[in-house]
Amino acid sequence: MSLIAANRISYTINNKKLFHNLSFTIDAGSALHIKGGNGSGKSTLLRILLGITTPSKGKIELLKPNTKITYLGHKNAIKNYLTPIENLKLIFHQSNLESALDWFQRLGLSRVQDEISANLSFGQQKKLALIRVLAAPADLIVLDEPFVGLDDSSRNLLNKYLQESISTGSSLALTSHIRPEIISKELMLENFSND
Amino acid sequence: MSLIAANRISYTINNKKLFHNLSFTIDAGSALHIKGGNGSGKSTLLRILLGITTPSKGKIELLKPNTKITYLGHKNAIKNYLTPIENLKLIFHQSNLESALDWFQRLGLSRVQDEISANLSFGQQKKLALIRVLAAPADLIVLDEPFVGLDDSSRNLLNKYLQESISTGSSLALTSHIRPEIISKELMLENFSND
Amino acid sequence: MIKIFQSEFFKLRKKLRTWLGPLLIMVLVLIAFPLSIDISQYDLNRFYFSIIVVALLMISFLSTEGIFLEDYEDGSLEQVYLVEQDFYKFVLAKVLTFVLLIGVPMAGIGSVFSILNGISINEVPKIFFMMFLSNLLLFNLFAFGSSLSINKGAILGVLATLPLALPIIILLGRGVRTIQHGIGFEGVMALMVGSGLLVASITPLIISATLKTHLE
Amino acid sequence: MIKIFQSEFFKLRKKLRTWLGPLLIMVLVLIAFPLSIDISQYDLNRFYFSIIVVALLMISFLSTEGIFLEDYEDGSLEQVYLVEQDFYKFVLAKVLTFVLLIGVPMAGIGSVFSILNGISINEVPKIFFMMFLSNLLLFNLFAFGSSLSINKGAILGVLATLPLALPIIILLGRGVRTIQHGIGFEGVMALMVGSGLLVASITPLIISATLKTHLE
Amino acid sequence: MFSSFVHRFSSPKSYVEITRKFFPYISLFGFLLLLIGWIWGLAFAPEDAVQGNSYRIIYLHVPASIFAQLVYFFMSICALIHLVWRVKLAAYLIKSAALVGAMITFIALFSGSIWGIPTWGTWWQWDARITSTLILFIMYLGIITLHGSFSNLEKADRLMSILVVVGVVNIPIIKKSVDWWSTLHQSASITISDGTSIDPSMLYPLLISIFGMGLTLISLGILSSKFYILTREKNKKWVQSYV
Ligand code: HEM
Ligand SMILES: Nc1ncnc2c1ncn2[C@@H]1O[C@H](COP(=O)(O)OP(=O)(O)OP(=O)(O)O)[C@@H](O)[C@H]1O
Ligand SMILES: Nc1ncnc2c1ncn2[C@@H]1O[C@H](COP(=O)(O)OP(=O)(O)OP(=O)(O)O)[C@@H](O)[C@H]1O
Ligand SMILES: [Mg+2]
Ligand SMILES: [Mg+2]
């Protein structure tokens, strides 16, 4: 069963063609790894999938209504003047909050729980941001280079989580310059040259 | 010949001990790879090496006077309301500018030269920032996770550059969760637990 | 809706810079003004009120200047969009929070300073209410302006909205005179309440569309 | 030094909002003020000048509020430190740029509006020069204030620097009166030039130390 | 040499030990003096020819106003010491003195306002001295908040010290404002050089209250600094054994 189908989508920005006539589907319980050089349009494609950006041509179809989507992009969406816990409280309410705090511990963040988030290290901030995805079960998980800045153990934790989600029927679309340890379809974006 | 010697340095912040009694030297023509989990103090150690942060105890000695240092940290130091070229012009003057523009091309950035930097993709911004280091020959190169967000070809380019610099006598101190393809001493920072 | 509002309130409360800053500046300006003129020479009470009005104008501009910037830059806006699919509630909550945490105290400070400078205590509730309404209008207006020019360089928003602020100021000035003369207050008030409600409910719609365009 | 100055100038020029914004607000305030009161009722000319002075105070605060924030947040400050080992030149260049691109036009606008409101054209150069000097002083002070609490907003900084700003305002007010009365102008002027030079060369030292502390 | 000397005698530990010895005497003596000064001033000093009895608030207002500035002066010296020799104790003292300073400045403002009602007919005027005292008060608060707004306490100490040093220019402004701008407020009535404009029978109790106020404030400062030091250094061994 497919969650989302991309139907011959193209995207052009400022007369630069990013991709052209792209068609693919994302199926329940499977992963899609979007690859390509820097600036090939991976992040843009993800944002199109999410409905944030509209494709120049073609259409994205959500095949299942009420698909629950979680997303983490290049930007962490963390308030750096709040403590990590306060940040989590902004995102999660009641039931999910517990699971978020649980992930907070497992990712080794408890020793910085009283700092404001601006004082966390680069990787710690990324981990904090990832909890947004980790602690909220979703039908579709969209991740834009989630491994950036993570140390080995956190990377393993994330890989394991993604693996599990997929095996329980969630779908995953991600970009990464590091190969994720997940069996996935690959979608390669070429670098168009418009010269 | 050593460029920099760290002499039993310790760093404590808000009653959290990051490292303790660390001693090492960085020699001309060699690389030091600082390793450790997220939050173990790698970035802080680099900033101590640069003289930006003062260690709580111990001393950093610059053994060669007038050591030219280039540095790129987690933050790109790029003005996102300027175009890439304008950014480079802020950093480089005359002689170096040419080499900077050369790197700009080699890194495949010329197709975005008329965008403001805020519109560059994540990896393109990182590459732009890296030119600060690539185009200015230095005695000591200090890099904090330089490979983050780079695609394979750029990563190779950077690795090759670093390799070359070392073989021509420059030194390198870097942190990275991805193993760099450079023969280097390794310095492992433990995660202190203060509980 | 309540949840969004609570979140916005919590965030703003934590940002001392954003809410306490403008209030302090307002106080300081109101203090500095009498010092800058030769008090003995003029009758301060007669025009001190205009200073308060002008301060209101500037401070509301100042405090809403970056109202959406942070959320745009740190990626929060995208997350809001994913959950809500538009920004109406979000903008409504945010502007209301700003009005409550900055606009209301500002109106309070304005009223207090007008007592200090000759308005009788009985009139203070009227003054306060009127200032509150002007703030509601100004905050919505300037929030719209700042949504137009979220990214750094743009000046568009300032250009577009500053002229629109003038009628509000004129209305406020007239309202004050109706209080001083004891006549016609209700009319001005009705006008302000009406436009206040209208603007406060429609502007978020417009802002919401603007924000969506920025995300594209 | 020239290079640093050129860079700063270029950057600020590109940020329309940072420099043109405050100027527009200044114009708006100066227009809004007469509108907000019943002009016929009072003798506007007599105190319009105080409005200009207060506007000068607020706008210079407003425009220097985030003067170091961007460089702190995007990591540029560290890069400057690596090259220069301190921030003296950098701060000097930055503050001067702000004075030139915002302070000077502000003084210009102030002077123009004072013609409109009864100061004779012959006196305008004096007024302009005096406002320019006050801006030099104010920008330095507020830059210090904003360096104290870079990422926390300049509120705390204002607290620190306002005591120093008040004498400037008072001095400016007095200077204007010496012009109006045609006596004692040179004395006030000499005082302002002296303190201007002193402050403009010492403040960057202090700011430099503050910035270094923030980087630690 | 000198700096090692400074450091040895400025350890928080020895400060706490030394002040513990002197505290009872200072506080008792100060309190008694203040009591004597006030009783004398309120009950026995003669009535003022112009102001009647309302002038008696002088015994609160003038000491408070004087120490509002002196406390700041003390803080700025500490700040210099902290910046030059990095003496931690100096920063601790600034932080605790700021609390005392804010309190006494508030008293100065408050008593002045009350006094203003019978004498000037208004409790507030935008007079230069009054305004600059108000700003001094705001600055005390600013210093406290500035310090409180950083999670890195050493950074906070340093920034606070810089602020205190720069802010010291406010003191001459307060002092001289009455002369520079002809204003409502009284100019100095007690001057060292050319005698005083105030009758000795009113002067002696005033001087005694000033002294008493000073010692009382010092003991308050000692109390608050001790409390602050113990919380700041709560992880140190000497504190754990002390408590
Ligand atoms: C809120 C209002 C007031 C404030 C903030 C204030 C502040 C001050 C200050 C800062 C001093 C200087 C202390 C020194 O360094 O010598 C002072 C002294 C004094 N004040 Fe006030 N004052 C206020 C109201 C008044 C009023 C209403 C009166 C009486 C009419 C008054 C009478 C005096 C006198 C007699 C002195 C001693 C003068 C001297 O020896 O310098 N003050 N006040
Ligand atoms: N200004 C600060 N205030 C408080 N704590 C800080 C501050 N700066 C850093 N820290 C703490 O120091 C620790 C180390 O930070 P650092 O950035 O050096 O880690 P890192 O090893 O580079 O981690 P990463 O791999 O995630 O980049 C973190 O736990 C962080 O919370
Ligand atoms: N708002 C915009 N205006 C102009 N160009 C844009 C805009 N957003 C993206 N681009 C351009 O689109 C291209 C693709 O950007 P995108 O972020 O999708 O790349 P990416 O594949 O994610 O790269 P990376 O691996 O570096 O993250 C880039 O060349 C970028 O300059
Ligand atoms: Mg991308
Ligand atoms: Mg790091």
Side-chain angles (χ1 to χ4, degrees):
Chain A
M1 204 194 73
S2 290
L3 271 183
I4 286 191
N7 216 328
R8 297 168 60 80
I9 55 173
S10 309
Y11 191 73
T12 310
I13 186 159
N14 293 356
N15 290 321
K16 273 177 305 208
K17 204 177 272 178
L18 284 186
F19 38 80
H20 190 62
N21 265 351
L22 217 54
S23 300
F24 58 89
T25 59
I26 298 180
D27 306 327
S30 82
L32 177 70
H33 179 195
I34 299 168
K35 294 172 68 170
N38 292 133
S40 58
K42 302 179 296 299
S43 304
T44 309
L45 183 56
L46 290 188
R47 289 160 60 88
I48 290 179
L49 279 181
L50 295 169
I52 297 174
T53 304
T54 357
S56 320
K57 273 189 211 137
K59 241 171 101 182
I60 289 285
E61 280 171 289
L62 263 174
L63 301 176
K64 226 186 74 182
N66 296 326
T67 313
K68 184 161 182 341
I69 304 179
T70 51
Y71 165 66
L72 184 66
H74 288 299
K75 294 172 178 175
N76 282 336
I78 287 291
K79 300 294 165 192
N80 60 16
Y81 49 90
L82 300 179
T83 68
I85 306 272
E86 285 168 346
N87 265 299
L88 293 180
K89 284 190 182 147
L90 285 184
I91 307 173
F92 297 105
H93 305 298
Q94 267 109 44
S95 56
N96 281 140
L97 187 57
E98 235 163 75
S99 140
L101 292 177
D102 189 48
W103 274 106
F104 188 73
Q105 280 226 316
R106 287 173 64 189
L107 289 167
L109 292 174
S110 3
R111 47 191 293 257
V112 290
Q113 64 186 11
D114 298 325
E115 299 287 343
I116 57 168
S117 305
N119 287 344
L120 301 194
S121 81
F122 185 74
Q124 287 170 333
Q125 292 189 2
K126 194 77 194 176
K127 290 197 251 183
L128 180 59
L130 273 169
I131 295 179
R132 175 190 291 276
V133 169
L134 297 172
D139 305 316
L140 173 61
I141 302 173
V142 179
L143 291 173
D144 204 351
E145 303 202 33
F147 302 109
V148 152
L150 298 189
D151 58 16
D152 299 352
S153 65
S154 321
R155 200 157 56 232
N156 288 338
L157 224 55
L158 178 59
N159 265 318
K160 226 162 55 198
Y161 172 83
L162 295 177
Q163 194 70 69
E164 254 167 45
S165 307
I166 292 172
S167 63
T168 58
S170 301
S171 315
L172 170 68
L174 92 170
T175 72
S176 173
H177 295 294
I178 313 174
R179 168 180 295 279
E181 285 157 22
I182 300 161
I183 307 126
S184 52
K185 277 201 293 186
E186 293 194 353
L187 177 70
M188 185 74 191
L189 298 184
E190 311 290 334
N191 261 334
F192 266 86
S193 79
N194 297 61
D195 313 309
Chain B
M1 205 195 73
S2 293
L3 273 183
I4 287 191
N7 216 328
R8 298 168 61 82
I9 54 174
S10 310
Y11 191 72
T12 309
I13 187 159
N14 291 355
N15 291 320
K16 275 180 305 218
K17 207 178 267 176
L18 285 186
F19 37 79
H20 189 64
N21 264 351
L22 217 55
S23 301
F24 58 87
T25 59
I26 299 180
D27 304 328
S30 82
L32 177 70
H33 180 196
I34 298 168
K35 294 172 70 170
N38 292 134
S40 57
K42 303 181 293 301
S43 303
T44 310
L45 182 55
L46 289 188
R47 290 162 59 88
I48 290 179
L49 279 181
L50 295 169
I52 295 174
T53 303
T54 354
S56 318
K57 273 190 208 135
K59 242 170 101 177
I60 290 286
E61 279 170 290
L62 263 174
L63 300 177
K64 227 187 75 181
N66 295 326
T67 312
K68 185 161 181 337
I69 304 180
T70 51
Y71 166 67
L72 184 65
H74 287 299
K75 295 172 178 174
N76 283 335
I78 289 289
K79 299 295 164 191
N80 59 14
Y81 49 91
L82 300 179
T83 68
I85 306 272
E86 286 168 345
N87 265 300
L88 292 180
K89 282 190 184 150
L90 285 184
I91 306 173
F92 296 106
H93 305 299
Q94 268 110 44
S95 55
N96 280 139
L97 186 58
E98 236 163 75
S99 141
L101 293 176
D102 189 48
W103 274 106
F104 188 72
Q105 282 228 316
R106 287 173 65 188
L107 289 168
L109 292 174
S110 4
R111 47 192 294 257
V112 290
Q113 65 188 10
D114 298 325
E115 300 286 344
I116 57 167
S117 305
N119 287 342
L120 301 194
S121 82
F122 185 74
Q124 287 170 333
Q125 291 189 3
K126 194 76 193 180
K127 290 198 252 184
L128 179 59
L130 272 169
I131 296 180
R132 176 190 289 278
V133 169
L134 297 171
D139 305 316
L140 174 62
I141 302 173
V142 178
L143 293 173
D144 204 350
E145 304 202 32
F147 302 109
V148 153
L150 298 189
D151 58 15
D152 299 352
S153 66
S154 321
R155 198 157 57 233
N156 289 338
L157 224 55
L158 178 59
N159 265 318
K160 226 163 56 197
Y161 172 83
L162 294 178
Q163 195 69 69
E164 253 168 46
S165 307
I166 292 173
S167 63
T168 59
S170 300
S171 315
L172 170 66
L174 92 171
T175 71
S176 173
H177 294 296
I178 312 173
R179 169 180 296 277
E181 285 155 21
I182 300 161
I183 307 125
S184 52
K185 276 201 291 187
E186 294 195 350
L187 177 69
M188 185 74 190
L189 297 184
E190 311 288 335
N191 262 336
F192 265 85
S193 79
N194 297 61
D195 313 309
Chain C
M1 183 67 210
I2 298 269
K3 274 275 178 296
I4 302 184
F5 182 73
Q6 279 174 344
S7 299
E8 289 305 323
F9 196 83
F10 180 71
K11 284 192 287 181
L12 184 56
R13 198 165 57 74
K14 284 281 176 172
K15 280 195 295 183
L16 225 62
R17 148 185 205 160
T18 312
W19 66 269
L20 192 53
L23 296 179
L24 273 173
I25 299 168
M26 172 138 183
V27 173
L28 295 176
V29 165
L30 294 181
I31 293 178
F33 175 71
L35 287 182
S36 71
I37 56 170
D38 208 345
I39 308 166
S40 53
Q41 208 175 330
Y42 308 113
D43 184 4
L44 187 62
N45 296 351
R46 283 167 68 210
F47 55 87
Y48 193 76
F49 202 83
S50 332
I51 293 290
I52 301 182
V53 172
V54 170
L56 232 55
L57 173 72
M58 287 185 70
I59 308 286
S60 42
F61 179 81
L62 178 79
S63 48
T64 48
E65 213 210 340
I67 185 169
F68 301 113
L69 187 63
E70 174 195 303
D71 288 312
Y72 175 76
E73 293 201 327
D74 72 7
S76 301
L77 228 45
E78 296 169 6
Q79 300 289 351
V80 171
Y81 184 77
L82 280 185
V83 177
E84 304 277 336
Q85 293 297 316
D86 72 34
F87 295 110
Y88 185 77
K89 286 190 215 161
F90 170 75
V91 172
L92 199 65
K94 201 165 196 93
V95 174
L96 266 185
T97 313
F98 268 68
V99 171
L100 281 185
L101 259 175
I102 310 177
V104 171
M106 247 166 79
I109 294 173
S111 319
V112 168
F113 272 86
S114 46
I115 309 178
L116 286 187
N117 287 276
I119 302 264
S120 88
I121 299 229
N122 305 338
E123 310 289 3
V124 167
K126 287 187 191 169
I127 297 261
F128 174 79
F129 196 50
M130 223 160 50
M131 287 189 175
F132 163 70
L133 283 171
S134 330
N135 278 342
L136 184 66
L137 286 164
L138 288 173
F139 275 60
N140 271 288
L141 182 65
F142 290 142
F144 169 61
S146 108
S147 76
L148 275 182
S149 50
I150 275 191
N151 31 3
K152 282 248 167 55
I155 189 94
L156 189 67
V158 186
L159 280 176
T161 49
L162 277 182
L164 290 179
L166 287 183
I168 303 177
I169 289 303
I170 295 176
L171 205 62
L172 179 58
R174 168 165 306 181
V176 173
R177 280 194 297 283
T178 65
I179 293 180
Q180 284 170 336
H181 300 164
I183 186 168
F185 173 72
E186 288 74 15
V188 174
M189 205 60 194
L191 192 61
M192 286 183 97
V193 171
S195 51
L197 288 179
L198 196 71
V199 166
S201 54
I202 289 181
T203 320
L205 265 181
I206 306 174
I207 297 180
S208 173
T210 319
L211 290 182
K212 180 66 187 21
T213 314
H214 273 290
L215 274 192
E216 286 267 312
Chain D
M1 182 66 209
I2 300 268
K3 275 273 177 296
I4 301 184
F5 181 74
Q6 280 173 344
S7 301
E8 290 304 323
F9 195 83
F10 180 72
K11 285 190 287 181
L12 184 55
R13 198 166 58 73
K14 285 281 176 174
K15 283 193 291 183
L16 226 58
R17 188 153 107 195
T18 311
W19 69 268
L20 193 53
L23 296 179
L24 283 174
I25 300 170
M26 172 135 183
V27 173
L28 178 81
V29 165
L30 293 183
I31 295 176
F33 177 70
L35 293 183
S36 71
I37 56 169
D38 210 347
I39 309 170
S40 56
Q41 206 178 329
Y42 309 114
D43 184 5
L44 185 63
N45 295 352
R46 282 167 69 209
F47 54 85
Y48 192 75
F49 203 84
S50 330
I51 295 290
I52 301 183
V53 171
V54 171
L56 233 56
L57 175 73
M58 285 185 75
I59 307 285
S60 42
F61 168 76
L62 192 134
S63 47
T64 46
E65 209 214 341
I67 183 168
F68 300 113
L69 185 63
E70 174 194 305
D71 288 313
Y72 175 78
E73 292 201 326
D74 72 7
S76 300
L77 227 45
E78 295 169 7
Q79 300 288 354
V80 171
Y81 183 76
L82 280 185
V83 176
E84 303 276 336
Q85 294 296 314
D86 71 35
F87 294 108
Y88 184 77
K89 285 189 215 162
F90 169 76
V91 172
L92 198 65
K94 201 165 197 94
V95 174
L96 267 184
T97 312
F98 269 68
V99 171
L100 282 184
L101 260 174
I102 309 176
V104 171
M106 248 167 78
I109 295 173
S111 320
V112 169
F113 273 87
S114 49
I115 306 178
L116 289 186
N117 287 276
I119 301 264
S120 87
I121 298 231
N122 306 339
E123 311 289 4
V124 167
K126 285 187 191 170
I127 298 260
F128 174 79
F129 196 50
M130 226 161 49
M131 287 188 174
F132 162 71
L133 283 172
S134 330
N135 277 342
L136 183 66
L137 286 164
L138 289 174
F139 275 60
N140 270 287
L141 287 179
F142 289 142
F144 167 63
S146 104
S147 78
L148 266 183
S149 46
I150 291 188
N151 46 349
K152 307 277 182 334
I155 334 149
L156 301 166
V158 183
L159 291 181
T161 42
L162 210 89
L164 306 169
L166 288 184
I168 300 175
I169 289 303
I170 294 174
L171 208 61
L172 181 58
R174 169 167 303 188
V176 173
R177 281 194 296 282
T178 66
I179 294 178
Q180 287 171 333
H181 302 165
I183 186 168
F185 173 72
E186 288 74 17
V188 174
M189 205 60 195
L191 193 60
M192 285 183 96
V193 171
S195 50
L197 288 180
L198 195 72
V199 167
S201 54
I202 288 181
T203 320
L205 265 181
I206 304 173
I207 297 180
S208 173
T210 318
L211 291 181
K212 180 64 189 16
T213 310
H214 271 287
L215 274 192
E216 286 266 315
Chain E
M1 234 299 276
F2 182 64
S3 94
S4 81
F5 171 82
V6 169
H7 278 282
R8 177 127 41 91
F9 288 92
S10 64
S11 85
K13 183 175 177 229
S14 53
Y15 171 80
V16 168
E17 279 162 0
I18 291 171
T19 51
R20 181 158 62 163
K21 277 188 214 130
F22 290 113
F23 179 75
Y25 308 108
I26 296 178
S27 55
L28 197 69
F29 190 53
F31 183 70
L32 282 179
L33 273 185
L34 197 56
L35 212 62
I36 293 171
W38 279 354
I39 291 177
W40 187 348
L42 292 184
F44 299 106
E47 197 169 305
D48 187 81
V50 188
Q51 300 191 11
N53 275 323
S54 72
Y55 91 95
R56 293 184 198 277
I57 203 172
I58 201 176
Y59 300 109
L60 177 59
H61 175 71
V62 171
S65 302
I66 288 175
F67 284 106
Q69 299 160 66
L70 279 187
V71 170
Y72 195 93
F73 194 65
F74 168 76
M75 282 163 55
S76 58
I77 291 172
C78 288
L80 271 182
I81 293 176
H82 179 70
L83 289 175
V84 177
W85 290 293
R86 304 240 167 159
V87 175
K88 270 194 195 157
L89 177 64
Y92 298 167
L93 290 183
I94 298 175
K95 179 77 199 286
S96 6
L99 292 172
V100 178
M103 181 197 77
I104 199 65
T105 310
F106 181 77
I107 293 177
L109 281 170
F110 194 74
S111 58
S113 298
I114 290 182
W115 199 358
I117 296 172
T119 50
W120 303 338
T122 172
W123 59 276
W124 191 259
Q125 266 298 327
W126 297 116
D127 152 290
R129 174 172 271 188
I130 296 178
T131 310
S132 36
T133 307
L134 175 64
I135 283 163
L136 183 65
F137 176 64
I138 300 177
M139 270 188 69
Y140 278 120
L141 297 186
I143 288 162
I144 297 167
T145 19
L146 180 76
H147 193 275
S149 70
F150 291 95
S151 59
N152 182 341
L153 291 173
E154 270 127 49
K155 209 190 253 187
D157 286 346
R158 201 102 58 78
L159 291 170
M160 174 179 70
S161 303
I162 295 177
L163 170 54
V164 170
V165 169
V166 172
V168 84
V169 293
N170 195 29
I171 299 298
I173 291 175
I174 297 180
K175 263 257 157 315
K176 284 288 158 195
S177 55
V178 197
D179 310 331
W180 291 345
W181 300 284
S182 50
T183 56
L184 215 48
H185 196 280
Q186 259 76 353
S187 51
S189 45
I190 313 172
T191 45
I192 297 168
S193 55
D194 48 359
T196 60
S197 63
I198 161 175
D199 191 81
S201 57
M202 299 179 182
L203 180 65
Y204 293 134
L206 182 59
L207 288 180
I208 292 175
S209 1
I210 291 175
F211 259 102
M213 179 75 87
L215 290 177
T216 310
L217 288 180
I218 289 176
S219 29
L220 276 181
I222 289 176
L223 269 186
S224 101
S225 61
K226 202 155 112 180
F227 181 72
Y228 184 64
I229 289 172
L230 293 184
T231 38
R232 246 319 256 280
E233 307 226 316
K234 63 173 179 286
N235 290 336
K236 296 265 167 71
K237 274 193 214 96
W238 73 267
V239 174
Q240 276 150 6
S241 62
Y242 181 90
V243 177

